[in-house]
Amino acid sequence: MKRTWLIIFAAAVVVILAAVYFTRTGHAPAGQPALVAVNGSTLPELQAEFNGSSDKLRVILLLSPT
């Protein structure tokens, strides 16, 4: 009986720690601009910033989860 409660407690701790880990928000490293979600309202800002730095190497990498 005591072992069963210990296993249940350990499983609950693992689930809680996993939930905390996967629900916290990410952040950019120091010196890097903050991450921005690209959508219809932020696309003009991205385009202006991309076109404004035409003297530098520019790369846009789009990744899809599928």
Side-chain angles (χ1 to χ4, degrees), residues 2-63:
K2 190 175 186 181
R3 183 176 178 185
T4 303
W5 283 109
L6 182 62
I7 292 172
I8 292 172
F9 178 73
V13 168
V14 168
V15 168
I16 290 171
L17 290 175
V20 168
Y21 177 78
F22 287 114
T23 57
R24 62 180 193 174
T25 58
H27 63 282
Q32 178 179 326
L35 300 175
V36 177
V38 178
N39 56 34
S41 63
T42 60
L43 195 57
E45 181 182 343
L46 173 65
Q47 184 179 11
E49 188 173 338
F50 185 83
N51 291 336
S53 60
S54 61
D55 58 334
K56 300 176 185 175
L57 177 66
R58 304 171 295 177
V59 176
I60 293 182
L61 177 65
L62 299 175
L63 302 174

